[in-house]
Amino acid sequence: MTDLLIRGRVLTFVEAPKGIDDHASYRYFEDGAVLVRNGKIADIGEHSDVARRAGPAVKVADHRPNLVLPGLIDTHLHFPQTQAIASYGAQLLEWLNTYIFVEEQKFRQPEHAQFIAGRFMDELLSNGTTTAVAYCSVHPESVDAYFGAAESRGMLMIGGKVMMDRNAPDALRDTPQLGYDETKQLIGKWHGRGRAHYAISPRFAITSTPEQMEMSRALVAEHPECYVQTHLSENKDEIAFATSLYPEAKDYTDIYARYDLLTRKTLLGHCIYLSDREISVLAEAGAVGTFCPTSNLFLGSGLFDRDRFDKLGARWSVATDVGAGTSFSMLETMDEAYKVLHLQGQRLSPFNSFYMMTLGNARALDLDDRIGSLHIGADADIVVLDSRAKPSMELRMRVAKTLAEELFILQTMGDDRSVAETYVAGKPMKHRASNQAAETEATGGRKFETV
Ligand code: GUN
Ligand code: ZN
């Protein structure tokens, strides 16, 4: 395969920025280039140096004056909720019962699951997200659709079948044994196939009996190579319900601790109302709290306290949480993250935002050797961002003086229109994505929407 030289203003992080002036935390090449060979990054640096080392036999993608960054990473969302974004007027438990547990029943139908999985992946790519961690529905077919759609696009995706055996409609419940067997079978089928990683996914303590939690414990012990994802401390009614179901637990976090579900590979959605004790338990385990600002505002859940996570040494990541989250865009997500932290007197610098969407989230997944930064040998998952994508941004950019200011404009005003291109393992995917979506509509994909 011919090498590809991607030219633009290259930005990649090497460390977590300590503040708005921490210029040592990133590498930036004003006229830079990234050389892609066989889906991996083969060189990075000043354009003149990379071009000279590459020689004449390369294809060139000239993205000047746009920014070239590592592909964005989303650490928590729900693929079967793609058509349930913007469901009106309810907080978590009512929203789940009224909208989500109805929507997820559609994924029993493989055709519907495949249609939405394709659109879901293309939506991620259109927003510059190259890796995500998602819940599928309770149906194994939904996991096949999810990883099948990721595989055909070459994406590094993490996901798993939701397990739930109570407090959900009959049609969405498995049993402890069935949840175990299906999960086991799906791990065997998908984990480590191409770029797929499996996440063992008991939905949350409310929808799993103690017997299912025992089975989850067994799965995690038998498959330490897999991720674990669940929800923790998102909403006050949820906390009261969950802790009432496990009266022996000290608190919500202790429910998961008792079943040995807190590991360095565990991702816990939301983590809004945790005590210092609970955050310290997460820190000790190396488990990751996932900050989902658009979702937390949309469901009226509450405000994630990042400073307390940092103070107590616990790991955290950022995520959209579609479909309680209102956008697939990590830029829009960080715009809301900034506001949620601002409300609590906490600062999120633009360098920190862009670190979190890339290397920070890659570190939360322990995948930073492969994704999240543009280093030699990394997978060539790359996003190209246009800070002047709409007239209001172009006007604002005329008076921007620094890179930090530009990044803040991108995060505050940007969305999918700011994503000029998305490369997956070195292949341009954004426009392929929108062309394909149009094709699906034209060939009747729409007929599955109302299954
Ligand atoms: N808690 C349990 N399930 C869900 C879900 O699908 N979305 C959100 N936001 N919280 C949950
Ligand atoms: Zn969630």
Side-chain angles (χ1 to χ4, degrees):
M1 210 166 42
T2 321
D3 292 356
L4 174 67
L5 186 145
I6 297 172
R7 185 172 187 180
R9 295 165 52 230
V10 174
L11 174 65
T12 184
F13 288 86
V14 290
E15 262 316 323
K18 292 176 192 70
I20 191 138
D21 295 324
D22 186 359
H23 303 296
S25 63
Y26 61 87
R27 296 171 76 195
Y28 175 65
F29 303 97
E30 177 74 26
D31 184 5
V34 179
L35 186 73
V36 178
R37 180 174 300 145
N38 298 326
K40 304 255 188 280
I41 295 175
D43 199 2
I44 172 174
E46 298 294 347
H47 171 260
S48 54
D49 295 336
V50 175
R52 178 173 36 79
R53 291 191 288 261
V58 289
K59 253 175 59 182
V60 176
D62 190 347
H63 288 293
R64 288 175 298 168
N66 292 339
L67 285 162
V68 174
L69 288 102
L72 310 181
I73 301 170
D74 185 348
T75 57
H76 179 130
L77 77 171
H78 298 256
F79 120 71
Q81 296 176 16
T82 302
Q83 284 186 299
I85 302 174
S87 294
Y88 177 75
Q91 289 214 349
L92 176 64
L93 299 178
E94 187 192 350
W95 172 83
L96 282 172
N97 286 316
T98 310
Y99 302 111
I100 299 309
F101 291 162
V102 176
E103 184 68 17
E104 292 193 4
Q105 293 184 42
K106 297 178 187 168
F107 289 74
R108 185 174 52 83
Q109 306 239 9
E111 299 84 352
H112 181 73
Q114 284 158 20
F115 169 60
I116 297 294
R119 293 295 296 264
F120 173 84
M121 298 300 163
D122 290 341
E123 198 57 45
L124 290 174
L125 293 173
S126 183
N127 280 282
T129 298
T130 48
T131 286
V133 188
Y135 291 71
C136 302
S137 70
V138 73
H139 317 95
E141 295 79 2
S142 75
V143 181
D144 290 338
Y146 174 83
F147 282 124
E151 187 171 75
S152 70
R153 290 161 178 79
M155 296 165 75
L156 195 168
M157 293 291 288
I158 301 168
K161 165 202 140 71
V162 126
M163 292 187 283
M164 42 184 182
D165 68 341
R166 67 170 162 186
N167 293 319
D170 285 353
L172 284 188
R173 287 207 307 263
D174 53 17
T175 63
Q177 190 62 48
L178 188 62
Y180 174 89
D181 291 344
E182 288 179 341
T183 298
K184 207 74 195 163
Q185 198 259 334
L186 290 164
I187 291 171
K189 181 167 182 184
W190 289 108
H191 185 82
R193 172 164 150 180
R195 303 182 80 193
H197 296 250
Y198 198 86
I200 298 164
S201 312
R203 186 177 204 122
F204 63 159
I206 289 178
T207 47
S208 288
T209 59
E211 294 71 33
Q212 183 156 72
M213 297 292 256
E214 279 298 348
M215 289 302 205
S216 302
R217 183 210 303 267
L219 286 165
V220 172
E222 289 160 23
H223 294 284
E225 72 281 14
C226 292
Y227 292 91
V228 182
Q229 59 179 349
T230 189
H231 295 86
L232 173 63
S233 205
E234 176 177 4
N235 166 291
K236 289 182 178 164
D237 292 341
E238 171 220 14
I239 298 167
F241 193 11
T243 50
S244 77
L245 294 169
Y246 290 89
E248 67 292 354
K250 288 194 199 90
D251 45 39
Y252 199 165
T253 301
D254 193 44
I255 302 173
Y256 298 132
R258 281 170 172 258
Y259 292 98
D260 298 324
L261 299 183
L262 302 179
T263 76
R264 210 182 146 78
K265 299 207 78 160
T266 304
L267 300 163
L268 299 148
H270 309 292
C271 296
I272 295 171
Y273 295 103
L274 299 179
S275 65
D276 283 1
R277 190 205 85 79
E278 292 178 279
I279 297 178
S280 301
V281 169
L282 301 189
E284 178 81 12
V288 177
T290 300
F291 176 19
C292 308
T294 71
S295 164
N296 297 160
L297 294 173
F298 180 74
L299 290 181
S301 300
L303 308 178
F304 179 81
D305 187 350
R306 179 209 56 193
D307 280 1
R308 223 150 45 87
F309 265 68
D310 282 345
K311 193 175 93 207
L312 296 168
R315 302 167 78 210
W316 59 280
S317 64
V318 291
T320 62
D321 190 31
V322 159
T326 49
S327 167
F328 277 91
S329 168
M330 287 303 296
L331 295 173
E332 290 186 306
T333 300
M334 297 318 292
D335 177 27
E336 298 303 291
Y338 173 84
K339 297 171 192 168
V340 165
L341 296 176
H342 211 18
L343 272 169
Q344 302 173 90
Q346 301 179 21
R347 279 278 165 83
L348 180 67
S349 83
F351 286 127
N352 233 293
S353 281
F354 279 76
Y355 164 79
M356 282 312 301
M357 287 185 265
T358 57
L359 183 57
N361 272 355
R363 285 181 169 175
L365 301 172
D366 282 337
L367 286 174
D368 44 310
D369 60 329
R370 301 255 47 82
I371 57 172
S373 77
L374 303 174
H375 61 270
I376 293 174
D379 298 344
D381 292 346
I382 293 168
V383 64
V384 181
L385 296 179
D386 178 0
S387 316
R388 297 169 183 80
K390 45 184 196 177
S392 58
M393 292 178 80
E394 192 277 328
L395 197 59
R396 176 64 182 86
M397 276 297 293
R398 288 186 196 193
V399 292
K401 294 188 181 61
T402 64
L403 178 60
E405 207 177 339
E406 177 174 0
L407 296 178
F408 196 55
I409 291 166
L410 261 173
Q411 154 188 324
T412 310
M413 304 177 77
D415 53 33
D416 58 322
R417 288 168 287 183
S418 305
V419 175
E421 189 51 275
T422 307
Y423 290 91
V424 175
K427 291 207 183 78
M429 298 296 285
K430 165 128 181 172
H431 301 291
R432 177 196 169 279
S434 43
N435 293 343
Q436 196 135 312
E439 236 168 69
T440 316
E441 292 298 334
T443 56
R446 206 178 258 289
K447 75 174 182 275
F448 300 118
E449 282 178 10
T450 52
V451 169

